[in-house]
Amino acid sequence: MIVRIKVKHLVLSLLVLAGLGALFVYVAVPQWQLRTVRQWLADDDRRGAEAALRMLTERGVTTGQKLSLIRDHLMEKSVSREGALDYELYVGPNHTQVRGEPLPDLYTLEEKIFLLSEYISKAPRDAFYARAVRQLAECYREAGEPGRAVELLVGAWAELEHTRQSWQWKETAVALIRLLAHSGQRAEAMTQLETFVSHSDFQAQWNEELASLRVELLLRSGDVHSGEALVSEQLEAEQRTGTGETESNRRRQLEEALRQLEAERERVMSSRSTVSGTVERHDGTPLSGVWVFLRDASIVNRSVTERDRYRVRTGPDGGFSFEHVPPGSYQLFLGMKLEQMSGYAWAITSNEWIDVDGSSDVKYPVVLQPLLEQVAPVEDEAVSGDTLRFEWQPVAGAAYYRLSIGMEIENGWGSTTYYDRVRDHWLELDKERLFDFQTGLVFETPGDWTTIEPAGLLGFMNPDRRYFWHVEAYDAEDRMLARSNGYRLDERSMGKLPFFRLTGRTLTDEDRLVLSGRFEEALAGYELKLAERPDDVHALRMAVRLREAKRLGDDKTPMEDELLRHIQTLAGLRPSAENISRMMYAHYSRGDWKEYEAQYARLIEMSDGGLSPYDSANYAGVLLKQGRYAEAKEILAAAVPEDRSHRFIGHYVAAALYVNQDASEALRVARAYPQRSYGPPLLDWAALVERIQAEANASDDATRYYAALNEKLDWHFGGDSEALYAWFRSAEYPAMKSFVQAVMGVK
Amino acid sequence: MKTEKETIKERLDEELQGVSFQGQRVVLARTHPRTWTDRLRAVWNAELEIPLVPAGGAAVLLLVCVMTFWSGGEKQSASPTRRGELVEAGGNVYWKEDWEKAVRRSDRSDQG
């Protein structure tokens, strides 16, 4: 078939087609792409962010559309990071907190800066403009360029002034002042504040935020005197004006400001101490913009809130500094983004305290260490043989490692440290050894042993269970260097999953009874097996565990004979530290002191690294119960300093008072080893001893006083609670009473 | 005798005596183009004969090439990363998605 067409018609048709094609390519397609990009962004799809940047250079998209894209999908959804509590992760030595929903940013910092700059250069100067300016300033600050942020805000402030957008203008000014204040340029911040106040109208002057910013600047300027003078002047001026509501509000604000300034003046005069340091990664990379909180001992157990007044943001070099810190004990907390912590850990133990004495400075560097890599067993490895080998990445400078093993329980994951002071970066052990270990027990109803979660009873003997482990590295001064536990939120830091299974053994019928919660039946089953074969280690272990679990609700009564017999057999077959401890406890509960001592001696022999201070102190507690104060004091003299929480200082002090019949040694050690408690009540043993000393000196005969104290201590340790409580009801010796009551709380 | 035709012809010749045909040049320009403008006009109004099937096939081929070339130039970037929930497992904190993926992976290798 042939088509006849004139050249002119062909050419014109081709031109029209080309025209339509161009229209399609340069307008229709970009518009359609725009639609897709909007959809991606609405779904938090990363492709949208990348495409958005390309959209900006497309000609088929109008400026208005580009601006609205930035507005709706960047500015509206941007998470503000201006406030101290706007971050996701708050971490301290004993306490980690994740706030809100941690949504990762869809855009990188560079992308945000680019998009926001575009918006600012083209958009009308309205509320959105002001918001974009503030967000861009925040981006610059985060990128470590506060100078550019200041420039931007100053420029925007000028622009907005001409359009008389008073609310926008004020917000921009406040952002500028806040930025200057928090990046250490306080004088500049003060100047801008005064400029702003003099330019603006009456209403804006007394904005809450500005008022508190001004007080903060005055407080931190160090020149508290002129600050106070300034505020007093203003207060006087105010008092001469009317009595309307706004006026009385202002007066209240001024009075509050004055109060704070006075308190500040006292604080400044009371202490010359500065606490400063840097927050950086192990390779020296500083972390800037991180919030650092200095928190008093009384609040460390609580979450970080607005009321945490000692807070500062690290500068571009990662540095922070708190001045005029009142004397006391503090802990440092950090506020940062999850991604800043991912793959790293702040390797410190929970007993990290900063002691400020009011005259000397404290340097406190914070170093984030990369998470320890775990080599084996990992990724759900099924260990079927008789031995188990743990291996991990060695850490330079580590004197020893601490290994913990655990499992999943009802509401989470529990683990216990089973191996301390491991010299090598690997550990081989027999599975049977693991089976000896007691794992934690979870009671659904406290006191009711039938509601214990069965997993804890079977411990590591369950081939169907998934177990996990983690490890920490310590130096020769017992300071943590690194650990394997932490936030693993990106591909690089995911690492190998530290899980494994212990296969190779099958569950017995009694084991299954335990797993289904039928503990009495299981116990009967195990003991039946034991009657036939007294050396059935598994049945023995389980019988002991079940009986012990039963006793947990009621440990005041002496141990029953069956359990004691089981324990003796078990300790004979498998003389491990746990079983020896069991023997010790058994004898203790029955008051068999000689046997207790014998087992203790065995335990010391077995642990070639020495007993933990906790175990030693517990032993000292038993000695105190027997009235052997001098021996207890010896042991506590070694154990209390070694235990960083000094939780047994109470016993030490009591023993010292008893043996010496005098307060000097007691006072000395109470001052040297203050008890570290998390939150109230804060026990100040030194103060308690001082009061005892005062009371003794005030009485007619100090010797009789101390003798009376000893009598009360004997009542407490000897268990004569009746006499003790009768005495509490009497009116004499209040200081002695406070002391004895405090001693009763030691555990 | 004169026929009707001849009578009409005589009358017509009489009437049209004053009228003469002047467009010889134009016609000649059309039929025998000499100058550039004339040649252009000739080409412009020329009729082409295009065999439909080959031409249509060629057009479709061209279109296909253009389309593939065009869409091949568009980059396909990484798949979406939507996270948001954290989960604590084995002492570590992971994104829930990553954790579930890892669990599925190790479950599979278990059964393998």
Side-chain angles (χ1 to χ4, degrees):
Chain A
M1 223 174 83
I2 289 183
V3 169
R4 256 181 257 247
I5 180 167
K6 292 208 173 175
V7 170
K8 64 180 170 187
H9 292 148
L10 183 64
V11 168
L12 284 172
S13 323
L14 285 176
L15 278 176
V16 167
L17 265 172
L20 282 174
L23 193 72
F24 184 71
V25 166
Y26 289 109
V27 178
V29 167
Q31 287 293 323
W32 184 74
Q33 279 178 337
L34 183 65
R35 236 187 100 251
T36 318
V37 170
R38 277 184 183 278
Q39 189 56 47
W40 276 337
L41 288 173
D43 292 337
D44 286 329
D45 189 332
R46 169 79 198 140
R47 288 179 290 189
E50 291 165 359
L53 272 105
R54 290 204 297 276
M55 280 287 120
L56 286 185
T57 49
E58 281 279 2
R59 274 169 300 173
V61 179
T62 67
T63 312
Q65 284 175 321
K66 292 176 189 170
L67 291 181
S68 90
L69 189 69
I70 298 176
R71 200 168 45 231
D72 299 334
H73 294 287
L74 169 57
M75 289 166 51
E76 290 283 336
K77 293 169 126 198
S78 198
V79 178
S80 162
R81 299 262 193 233
E82 296 175 54
L85 295 172
D86 289 337
Y87 280 91
E88 295 135 12
L89 181 65
Y90 290 85
V91 54
N94 199 32
H95 181 180
T96 301
Q97 181 193 351
V98 174
R99 293 175 79 97
E101 260 195 42
L103 271 176
D105 273 330
L106 203 54
Y107 305 87
T108 64
L109 198 58
E110 292 77 26
E111 285 167 356
K112 275 201 269 200
I113 290 179
F114 181 72
L115 288 167
L116 286 170
S117 307
E118 272 291 306
Y119 188 90
I120 287 168
S121 61
K122 302 213 171 85
R125 270 59 178 134
D126 58 7
F128 290 109
Y129 168 82
R131 191 203 287 198
V133 164
R134 283 209 314 281
Q135 289 179 345
L136 183 58
E138 179 59 28
C139 289
Y140 281 139
R141 197 210 47 78
E142 215 179 296
E145 294 180 71
R148 288 183 78 176
V150 171
E151 234 182 88
L152 171 74
L153 284 168
V154 170
W157 195 10
E159 294 249 358
L160 285 172
E161 187 165 7
H162 294 141
T163 61
R164 294 218 202 102
Q165 296 276 3
S166 60
W167 188 76
Q168 276 39 279
W169 179 57
K170 190 212 76 191
E171 287 294 301
T172 311
V174 168
L176 173 64
I177 295 166
R178 205 190 306 126
L179 176 69
L180 288 168
H182 288 154
S183 56
Q185 296 168 267
R186 288 197 283 268
E188 186 61 27
M190 207 55 195
T191 322
Q192 295 287 6
L193 183 69
E194 296 307 331
T195 316
F196 172 70
V197 163
S198 62
H199 274 42
S200 67
D201 59 17
F202 237 36
Q203 287 287 48
Q205 196 176 22
W206 296 105
N207 167 262
E208 281 285 343
E209 186 169 7
L210 274 188
S212 67
L213 259 180
R214 175 196 252 125
V215 172
E216 198 185 314
L217 283 170
L218 286 171
L219 287 178
R220 288 159 158 277
S221 69
D223 187 5
V224 185
H225 254 78
S226 44
E228 275 186 274
L230 176 67
V231 175
S232 313
E233 243 178 71
Q234 289 177 333
L235 188 57
E236 267 178 45
E238 272 309 307
Q239 277 165 344
R240 272 181 259 126
T241 60
T243 49
E245 195 179 317
T246 17
E247 282 84 356
S248 51
N249 270 343
R250 288 184 212 141
R251 252 199 295 279
R252 242 204 315 276
Q253 281 180 2
L254 282 171
E255 281 162 8
E256 177 61 29
L258 203 57
R259 257 198 299 276
Q260 288 187 9
L261 286 169
E262 280 169 8
E264 177 66 9
R265 178 163 41 87
E266 283 181 27
R267 184 182 79 98
V268 164
M269 296 210 303
S270 75
S271 168
R272 287 197 311 271
S273 297
T274 302
V275 176
S276 63
T278 52
V279 179
E280 43 185 39
R281 295 248 167 85
H282 72 302
D283 56 2
T285 328
L287 275 110
S288 70
V290 166
W291 282 99
V292 179
F293 301 85
L294 189 64
R295 311 185 75 212
D296 181 69
S298 60
I299 56 169
V300 292
N301 234 18
R302 291 191 235 137
S303 315
V304 175
T305 63
E306 278 298 331
R307 273 171 278 134
D308 271 281
R309 285 227 18 246
Y310 288 112
R311 61 166 92 146
V312 94
R313 226 169 177 173
T314 55
D317 60 346
F320 64 89
S321 154
F322 295 95
E323 282 122 39
H324 302 292
V325 181
S329 292
Y330 302 87
Q331 281 190 340
L332 210 70
F333 274 64
L334 304 174
M336 57 171 73
K337 289 194 270 197
L338 281 169
E339 62 213 43
Q340 285 174 306
M341 190 59 111
S342 177
Y344 286 84
W346 185 16
I348 45 166
T349 57
S350 48
N351 282 317
E352 281 278 323
W353 294 92
I354 302 172
D355 292 316
V356 178
D357 61 6
S359 50
S360 32
D361 293 341
V362 177
K363 279 247 172 287
Y364 196 76
V366 173
V367 181
L368 299 186
Q369 299 287 348
L371 294 175
L372 261 184
E373 194 191 312
Q374 289 161 285
V375 177
V378 289
E379 300 284 331
D380 247 10
E381 187 184 325
V383 182
S384 55
D386 292 327
T387 56
L388 178 57
R389 183 188 160 99
F390 291 95
E391 197 178 325
W392 55 90
Q393 171 202 357
V395 175
Y400 65 91
Y401 301 92
R402 195 178 277 176
L403 180 70
S404 307
I405 315 175
M407 67 171 98
E408 189 173 9
I409 55 179
E410 181 89 9
N411 290 320
W413 301 77
S415 68
T416 313
T417 302
Y418 291 111
Y419 285 97
D420 202 354
R421 313 218 169 243
V422 178
R423 304 272 158 209
D424 307 302
H425 60 94
W426 45 266
L427 182 68
E428 244 182 64
L429 46 104
D430 287 328
K431 257 199 224 165
E432 283 290 323
R433 192 73 196 87
L434 263 188
F435 294 162
D436 277 334
F437 288 143
Q438 180 75 55
T439 52
L441 294 176
V442 177
F443 283 75
E444 218 175 279
T445 316
D448 183 0
W449 82 299
T450 57
T451 66
I452 292 181
E453 206 184 311
L457 286 166
L458 260 188
F460 294 111
M461 298 183 276
N462 189 343
D464 299 333
R465 195 113 202 148
R466 182 189 268 144
Y467 303 107
F468 75 98
W469 61 287
H470 59 90
V471 64
E472 293 149 7
Y474 291 85
D475 67 6
E477 275 92 49
D478 298 324
R479 282 189 302 247
M480 197 193 292
L481 290 172
R483 60 170 205 249
S484 64
N485 267 358
Y487 288 87
R488 296 176 176 274
L489 300 175
D490 52 66
E491 241 176 75
R492 187 184 46 90
S493 63
M494 272 288 282
K496 303 261 167 57
L497 297 185
F499 295 93
F500 63 96
R501 288 174 200 272
L502 295 171
T503 56
R505 105 170 260 282
T506 38
L507 294 170
T508 63
D509 294 330
E510 292 78 26
D511 292 341
R512 291 189 208 279
L513 285 172
V514 171
L515 285 175
S516 36
R518 290 147 71 179
F519 300 148
E520 287 284 3
E521 287 177 58
L523 180 59
Y526 286 124
E527 290 189 323
L528 202 61
K529 280 210 165 134
L530 276 176
E532 289 168 29
R533 279 189 55 215
D535 59 351
D536 182 346
V537 174
H538 177 66
L540 199 51
R541 275 198 195 111
M542 290 308 295
V544 167
R545 285 190 193 187
L546 285 167
R547 282 192 177 271
E548 277 178 344
K550 210 168 173 185
R551 263 180 66 80
L552 272 176
D554 164 37
D555 58 353
K556 294 281 188 261
T557 58
M559 189 179 287
E560 68 267 27
D561 291 336
E562 296 97 328
L563 181 53
L564 180 61
R565 268 203 308 273
H566 288 327
I567 292 179
Q568 278 171 331
T569 323
L570 187 59
L573 286 173
R574 299 208 48 92
S576 65
E578 295 75 35
N579 292 332
I580 305 286
S581 297
R582 280 194 165 104
M583 290 291 293
M584 282 172 63
Y585 176 71
H587 292 306
Y588 167 87
S589 84
R590 290 158 71 101
D592 300 332
W593 302 127
K594 286 193 74 139
E595 284 84 341
Y596 179 88
E597 294 281 347
Q599 295 301 330
Y600 184 69
R602 272 184 85 185
L603 193 62
I604 296 192
E605 240 182 74
M606 290 192 64
S607 9
D608 56 358
L611 287 180
S612 70
Y614 181 76
D615 286 332
S616 306
N618 266 329
Y619 175 66
V622 174
L623 289 174
L624 288 172
K625 276 194 175 353
Q626 299 172 46
R628 293 153 69 177
Y629 290 88
E631 294 173 66
K633 186 164 83 72
E634 290 276 317
I635 296 194
L636 286 165
V640 167
E642 219 189 303
D643 168 28
R644 293 180 79 173
S645 69
H646 307 316
R647 60 209 279 194
F648 289 105
I649 183 66
H651 277 177
Y652 189 2
V653 165
L657 284 169
Y658 193 100
V659 168
N660 300 329
Q661 305 233 5
D662 167 272
S664 43
E665 188 188 352
L667 199 52
R668 185 175 54 76
V669 301
R671 288 203 178 118
Y673 309 115
Q675 183 166 350
R676 309 291 201 183
S677 43
Y678 296 92
L682 288 175
L683 275 176
D684 187 350
W685 291 100
L688 286 167
V689 176
E690 277 165 8
R691 285 177 58 197
I692 293 242
Q693 196 176 43
E695 212 175 54
N697 294 337
S699 75
D700 312 318
D701 181 358
T703 331
R704 278 191 55 197
Y705 180 88
Y706 284 111
L709 173 61
N710 287 5
E711 187 189 19
K712 313 302 182 265
L713 287 173
D714 280 333
W715 284 348
H716 163 55
F717 288 118
D720 194 348
S721 33
E722 260 187 58
L724 207 53
Y725 283 114
W727 175 62
F728 281 147
R729 284 195 292 272
S730 79
E732 60 165 19
Y733 298 144
M736 199 193 288
K737 285 209 187 76
S738 310
F739 179 73
V740 174
Q741 280 167 347
V743 172
M744 287 170 73
V746 174
K747 45 177 178 288
Chain B
M1 278 276 195
K2 278 187 210 157
T3 57
E4 215 175 302
K5 252 191 183 173
E6 284 168 346
T7 324
I8 293 170
K9 182 175 190 306
E10 266 177 40
R11 274 305 287 286
L12 207 55
D13 282 341
E14 254 179 68
E15 297 290 335
L16 293 179
Q17 243 182 13
V19 180
S20 65
F21 179 65
Q22 299 295 331
Q24 294 95 327
R25 246 182 318 131
V26 177
V27 172
L28 281 171
R30 290 272 152 87
T31 52
H32 296 83
R34 287 279 146 82
T35 69
W36 285 115
T37 342
D38 291 342
R39 280 191 226 252
L40 204 62
R41 186 167 292 142
V43 169
W44 186 242
N45 286 296
E47 250 187 34
L48 294 175
E49 289 191 354
I50 307 171
L52 187 66
V53 169
V60 167
L61 201 68
L62 190 70
L63 200 68
V64 166
C65 287
V66 165
M67 291 304 289
T68 44
F69 191 68
W70 200 33
S71 50
E74 305 245 306
K75 258 192 308 160
Q76 295 297 324
S77 69
S79 52
T81 51
R82 170 148 183 80
R83 293 159 168 172
E85 237 186 288
L86 291 174
V87 69
E88 189 171 332
N92 292 313
V93 178
Y94 305 96
W95 289 117
K96 190 161 177 209
E97 271 182 32
D98 292 342
W99 167 246
E100 285 169 355
K101 220 191 309 176
V103 167
R104 279 197 296 273
R105 190 180 65 218
S106 71
D107 276 348
R108 259 184 281 125
S109 68
D110 250 0
Q111 284 149 20

